[in-house]
Amino acid sequence: MSSIRSAANSRTWLLSTPHTAYALRVSDRELPAHLHWGAPLTLAQAAAMAPHGPVYGVGVDGPGHPEEYLVAGGARFGVSSLQVQFSDGTRPVQPVLVGEHVEEESGGATLTLSYADEHYPLTIDLHYRVHDGCDVIERWTTLRHPADPPAFVTRADSACWTLPPRPDYRLSHVTGHWSSESQVERVTLARAETTLTSRRGLTGHHANPWVMVDAGDATEDAGEVWGAALAWSGSWRITVDRSPTDRVQLFGGYGHDALTWRLAGDDCLRTPVFCGLYSDGGFGAASRGWHEHVREHVLPRPDEVRPVVYNSWEATGFAVDVAGQQRLARLAAPLGVELFVMDDGWFGKRLSDNAGLGDWTPNPDRFPDGLTPLIDEVHRLGMRFGLWVEPEMVNPDSDLYRAHPDWVLHSANRARTEVRQQLVLNFARPDVAAWAHGWLDGLLRDHKIDFLKWDFNRPFTEAGWPEAADGADRLWIDHIQAVYDLLDRLRADHPRLRVESCAGGGGRVDLGILAHTDEVWTSDNTDAYDRLSIQYGFSQVYPAAIMAAWVTDSPNWLNGRVTPLRFRFHVAMAGVLAIGGNLTEWSPEELAEAADLVAQYKRIRPIVQHGRQYRLAPPGAPVTAVQYVSRDGAESVVFAYRPAPTFGRHPQPLPLRGLDPAATYRDKDTGTQHPGALLLTHGLPLTLPTGDYASALVTLIRV
């Protein structure tokens, strides 16, 4: 059980989770002091703690104790969580406590600490939430200024997380670019402000809104790790501040530099959740903690078994028509595919990426009788039907843009930068959001569509709204919130609907979008070898149940690499399996092998999608491996990948994780029995095919 309790005599609050504790102390005339984030404590122990003070004194080292939320003003010289300018030009904030409240909820509790500026009508509510059975703590902030003239907010972080003193610190995060997302970096944390950010209006391929910090000695299986992840799908900023005297704090929130948000009257800024997680079991245990949080407290349908998908994009590109799609569907169904998805090219004058976005009616030349004949054929074959859409975008060469050129993000007297021959629609405008809901709702009501692949292929530019006389910068927030609201409304009205988040590959992967969708497209790079490192980085925070992974053609379209079909399947089977190759060119032998591998996946997917994941060996090792263990511990699945053989050497046995050392496990395929203790210590013997890009799938059953 998790709980939130207070010690009235010391004004101390203790947040307890199954394996961790978080403590803070409240003051009447300043924001609360941070006490502890780490191993479990009793309330009495927390109440007896003294905040970690400055090394050289107030005014030199900053505030006399680490604060839970830093405001600009006073003897604070580092990062500010909150920056406000009042109508008379005053910037410092002087908070006074006005309330403390705990709300007990089904499965958890929320603490709210309410502050008000002692002179101006600004209120600051700090929120902390815990969930039963989960070590992740959620924090966010609510700001109000219910009077005119307004205040102007230039930074509003969701939270600030403080780490305990350690001899050294190391920062882990991911970086990358299009088709090379989620590349893990672990570096010594500089004594400086290290900022990860996106100024693009979307999460981004180049970074992802999470960080982990350890003392430099954590491994996959041991050591303390502190992590924080932001639940937001627009522009964001996370700053890791290591002071010259080694105070480390993690700041995170939406927005970026140069934005200003007007706050007055009924306006409210409710920041996105900035989650924190402590683990003493290394990076692997930290990842499993994040996976559990996503499954239990983020995803709308966490218990769903994700279907096997076929997507037509790599097979057809924009050359889409009803006959070609029906032919692909007839080839996909015998493989065991459960959901057939038609990608880009089905609407308007969409013969390439130069035109058509915004005109969401079937192309009459390619679909003379509409979508119904294709959908009916897909359903006759026993599959569900899905469709690619990009609702937030428009081509200048479209009827929509010609009718409503003012609907896009733009600035007065400035050119409109096209990326991929398209512009971004301003979903902060109520009329644009209503238009998008109208055609999407009509499409779903008029057709038996089970799935939308929701794409977002370019960043914001010229992110203005000339018609908005005041507060145009709010569109950076309001656009994303409108997308969330639209997704929720569509899902409520169409309960069978599944949605995949896509943004030119993995450009919109975050805890925010996952609360409104079912899975994400991991990367446009479908090469199986490259996917090993992409999926390794992805798994640091996000579970396999949301990681869409395709089996496509060889040579791969992106890099020309040739890999065996078995290797491609085994890599994709470590997530949500899909097929994206041109099945009309697959041989009968390849189709038969694919059907067999799909059947294997269906037997193991409850373990892969809902089990506990263990990264046994990273990309770059002689054999890369990942293991999944069912929630009850009765079954385990191991994938092993050897990109290239080492002459004269057989692969070493692979030590496993998460098994019962007192149990015996039987290899489902060979019948060989292995003592659990030996699997954990001496390892699982591996048999891999000869040649490059060899792989193995082993299923173990507890006997």
Side-chain angles (χ1 to χ4, degrees):
M1 291 289 290
S2 298
S3 65
I4 300 176
R5 296 175 295 153
S6 65
N9 59 330
S10 67
R11 310 292 298 281
T12 299
W13 286 95
L14 179 68
L15 287 68
S16 298
T17 72
H19 306 102
T20 77
Y22 189 95
L24 58 142
R25 183 160 297 144
V26 175
S27 169
D28 286 336
R29 300 194 63 78
E30 58 184 2
L31 293 176
H34 176 77
L35 297 177
H36 174 80
W37 184 23
L41 294 177
T42 66
L43 183 57
Q45 291 167 338
M49 289 187 68
H52 178 59
V55 174
Y56 295 113
V58 178
V60 176
D61 196 41
H65 53 261
E67 295 177 297
E68 284 287 292
Y69 196 77
L70 282 72
V71 297
R76 300 177 181 89
F77 309 104
V79 180
S80 295
S81 305
L82 178 64
Q83 297 173 355
V84 179
Q85 180 170 325
F86 298 100
S87 58
D88 60 4
T90 298
R91 292 182 183 272
V93 176
Q94 294 183 352
V96 175
L97 182 69
V98 295
E100 307 169 57
H101 176 68
V102 173
E103 183 177 355
E104 299 291 343
E105 304 159 352
S106 175
T110 299
L111 166 66
T112 299
L113 302 176
S114 298
Y115 288 82
D117 188 88
E118 67 177 5
H119 178 77
Y120 300 93
L122 174 71
T123 62
I124 308 166
D125 289 340
L126 306 180
H127 308 276
Y128 301 74
R129 182 163 56 206
V130 296
H131 298 281
D132 290 346
C134 180
D135 286 323
V136 169
I137 299 171
E138 298 178 334
R139 293 179 58 185
W140 70 97
T141 300
T142 303
L143 302 173
R144 293 181 177 85
H145 188 274
D148 281 318
F152 294 91
V153 180
T154 55
R155 179 164 183 158
D157 285 347
S158 299
C160 166
W161 298 94
T162 301
L163 273 61
R166 291 295 183 267
D168 203 355
Y169 299 93
R170 179 173 55 176
L171 173 66
S172 297
H173 63 101
V174 290
T175 184
H177 51 80
W178 173 78
S179 283
S180 184
E181 300 90 334
S182 299
Q183 304 299 307
V184 175
E185 288 199 353
R186 291 201 167 106
V187 296
T188 299
L189 181 60
R191 289 183 175 89
E193 296 172 14
T194 302
T195 297
L196 308 176
T197 187
S198 170
R199 302 180 182 91
R200 306 171 189 230
L202 77 163
T203 320
H205 302 77
H206 66 292
N208 199 265
W210 65 261
V211 294
M212 296 185 194
V213 178
D214 71 296
D217 57 357
T219 66
E220 184 68 19
D221 299 311
E224 293 185 300
V225 177
W226 293 263
L230 185 68
W232 185 244
S233 308
S235 288
W236 57 272
R237 170 174 47 197
I238 294 177
T239 299
V240 184
D241 181 29
R242 181 178 183 179
S243 77
T245 54
D246 289 331
R247 178 178 291 173
V248 174
Q249 295 180 295
L250 315 177
F251 301 79
Y254 53 20
H256 56 75
D257 46 286
L259 295 183
T260 299
W261 304 311
R262 181 182 184 275
L263 197 57
D266 295 332
D267 290 344
C268 171
L269 277 181
R270 184 189 187 277
T271 70
V273 168
F274 192 32
C275 302
L277 172 68
Y278 165 79
S279 171
D280 63 0
F283 296 108
S287 294
R288 288 186 289 278
W290 286 115
H291 298 171
E292 188 74 10
H293 173 69
V294 172
R295 281 193 297 256
E296 297 299 324
H297 305 294
V298 178
L299 290 174
R301 289 184 290 220
D303 297 328
E304 179 203 41
V305 175
R306 272 59 176 169
V308 176
V309 173
Y310 178 81
N311 183 287
S312 67
W313 172 250
E314 289 195 23
T316 61
F318 291 104
V320 173
D321 60 33
V322 63
Q325 295 295 300
Q326 288 177 336
R327 183 183 180 193
L328 287 169
R330 294 179 190 122
L331 290 167
L335 302 184
V337 168
E338 297 159 311
L339 170 62
F340 181 91
V341 180
M342 179 167 63
D343 213 282
D344 200 351
W346 59 271
F347 54 92
K349 297 179 181 178
R350 190 70 168 172
L351 307 182
S352 69
D353 61 6
N354 293 317
L357 282 176
D359 301 337
W360 297 103
T361 54
N363 182 297
D365 297 324
R366 296 176 168 192
F367 297 91
D369 299 312
L371 299 179
T372 299
L374 173 60
I375 296 174
D376 287 349
E377 176 65 1
V378 168
H379 287 160
R380 185 191 70 80
L381 292 165
M383 298 181 291
R384 287 178 273 176
F385 180 79
L387 204 58
W388 179 93
V389 294
E390 195 172 6
E392 298 160 78
M393 300 292 167
V394 65
N395 286 122
D397 185 3
S398 67
D399 293 340
L400 178 71
Y401 185 77
R402 285 184 280 270
H404 299 285
D406 56 323
W407 277 13
V408 301
L409 302 182
H410 67 285
S411 298
N413 308 311
R414 293 293 180 264
R416 303 180 181 192
T417 301
E418 293 182 26
V419 178
R420 205 171 181 257
Q421 294 79 50
Q422 61 194 56
L423 300 169
V424 182
L425 291 167
N426 181 2
F427 269 47
R429 292 181 57 131
D431 51 354
V432 175
W435 162 84
H437 175 264
W439 74 260
L440 282 163
D441 182 66
L443 185 71
L444 295 171
R445 289 188 186 281
D446 294 343
H447 303 86
K448 295 179 180 179
I449 295 172
D450 306 285
F451 174 91
L452 292 177
K453 185 179 180 74
W454 185 298
D455 213 341
F456 185 94
N457 269 309
R458 58 148 295 174
F460 287 10
T461 57
E462 292 83 43
W465 185 358
E467 296 83 2
D470 194 11
D473 282 354
R474 281 293 291 266
L475 74 83
W476 290 87
I477 300 172
D478 292 348
H479 179 107
I480 304 303
Q481 191 58 57
V483 171
Y484 290 166
D485 293 345
L486 176 54
L487 286 167
D488 289 347
R489 187 175 176 186
L490 291 174
R491 294 169 67 96
D493 292 340
H494 306 277
R496 72 176 184 274
L497 180 66
R498 302 183 73 256
V499 181
E500 178 181 283
S501 170
C502 176
R508 192 185 259 176
V509 177
D510 55 80
L511 299 182
I513 201 67
L514 287 175
H516 310 278
T517 58
D518 299 284
E519 62 192 48
V520 295
W521 180 222
T522 317
S523 176
D524 281 349
N525 187 343
T526 58
D527 173 65
Y529 177 73
D530 286 349
R531 272 295 183 115
L532 291 176
S533 60
I534 292 171
Q535 294 177 185
Y536 176 81
F538 185 94
S539 73
Q540 300 294 314
V541 169
Y542 305 112
I546 62 142
M547 185 178 72
W550 291 5
V551 178
T552 57
D553 295 329
S554 180
N556 185 267
W557 72 275
L558 183 66
N559 56 25
R561 183 177 283 117
V562 175
T563 53
L565 187 66
R566 170 188 167 107
F567 185 84
R568 283 175 270 150
F569 260 94
H570 283 169
V571 172
M573 289 163 70
V576 178
L577 176 65
I579 299 172
N582 186 356
L583 299 180
T584 64
E585 297 183 356
W586 287 22
S587 69
E589 293 77 15
E590 287 176 315
L591 292 171
E593 184 179 6
D596 181 62
L597 288 162
V598 169
Q600 290 182 39
Y601 178 74
K602 289 181 178 180
R603 289 194 294 269
I604 65 170
R605 66 178 164 183
I607 306 169
V608 172
Q609 295 182 10
H610 298 143
R612 297 186 298 275
Q613 184 188 64
Y614 296 84
R615 295 182 294 262
L616 302 180
V623 173
T624 299
V626 62
Q627 176 190 5
Y628 302 87
V629 179
S630 63
R631 305 302 292 274
D632 62 4
E635 293 187 72
S636 182
V637 174
V638 179
F639 293 99
Y641 313 100
R642 186 192 61 199
T646 302
F647 178 74
R649 293 181 60 185
H650 296 291
Q652 295 291 323
L654 189 66
L656 303 186
R657 298 288 182 267
L659 303 181
D660 180 359
T664 298
Y665 294 85
R666 176 174 55 84
D667 186 319
K668 182 180 180 297
D669 294 321
T670 68
T672 304
Q673 295 196 4
H674 304 275
L678 294 185
L679 289 172
L680 293 168
T681 54
H682 292 265
L684 173 71
L686 290 176
T687 301
L688 293 168
T690 58
D692 294 343
Y693 305 110
S695 60
L697 163 61
V698 179
T699 302
L700 299 170
I701 301 172
R702 187 175 60 198
V703 296

